[in-house]
Amino acid sequence: MIEVLNEIDEYTFCVEEIERYRTLREEIEAKVADLRRRKAAELALNPICDVSVLERQIATLLDDDEVLGAKMHELTIKRNLLEP
């Protein structure tokens, strides 16, 4: 009986963490979209301006998103294995 409760708790934890990562990824997606709009606006005003800072910020956010996606994938596999 204790083992079943532990599996239910672990399943619930996976579901909650997947949702948390999904929310974080949505926030990253919004930030990336905003930075891309800013980059496009700056380039529209001055085609030779330096947008490398914005490009680095975008790259960092995309790297973070990739890490979160990998963690979500791991949790999804674990959740699937624990499904009742």
Side-chain angles (χ1 to χ4, degrees):
M1 183 67 174
I2 291 175
E3 185 176 318
V4 171
L5 287 176
N6 287 340
E7 285 183 9
I8 292 171
D9 290 341
E10 199 168 348
Y11 178 84
T12 302
F13 173 79
C14 287
V15 170
E16 290 170 352
E17 285 296 286
I18 290 167
E19 188 57 37
R20 184 173 74 86
Y21 285 129
R22 181 177 290 117
T23 301
L24 290 171
R25 292 184 78 196
E26 287 171 355
E27 291 171 5
I28 287 173
E29 186 178 324
K31 289 177 185 177
V32 167
D34 180 55
L35 289 170
R36 285 182 172 153
R37 280 191 296 275
R38 286 177 46 198
K39 177 183 168 185
E42 286 187 27
L43 288 172
L45 291 174
N46 181 1
I48 60 170
C49 72
D50 184 10
V51 292
S52 60
V53 171
L54 293 173
E55 290 171 344
R56 281 193 301 274
Q57 290 173 339
I58 291 169
T60 299
L61 287 168
L62 292 175
D63 288 346
D64 292 347
D65 181 61
E66 190 172 326
V67 169
L68 292 174
K71 289 179 181 179
M72 264 181 78
H73 183 71
E74 290 174 18
L75 286 165
T76 300
I77 291 170
K78 188 173 184 178
R79 180 204 61 199
N80 291 345
L81 293 171
L82 291 167
E83 273 185 351

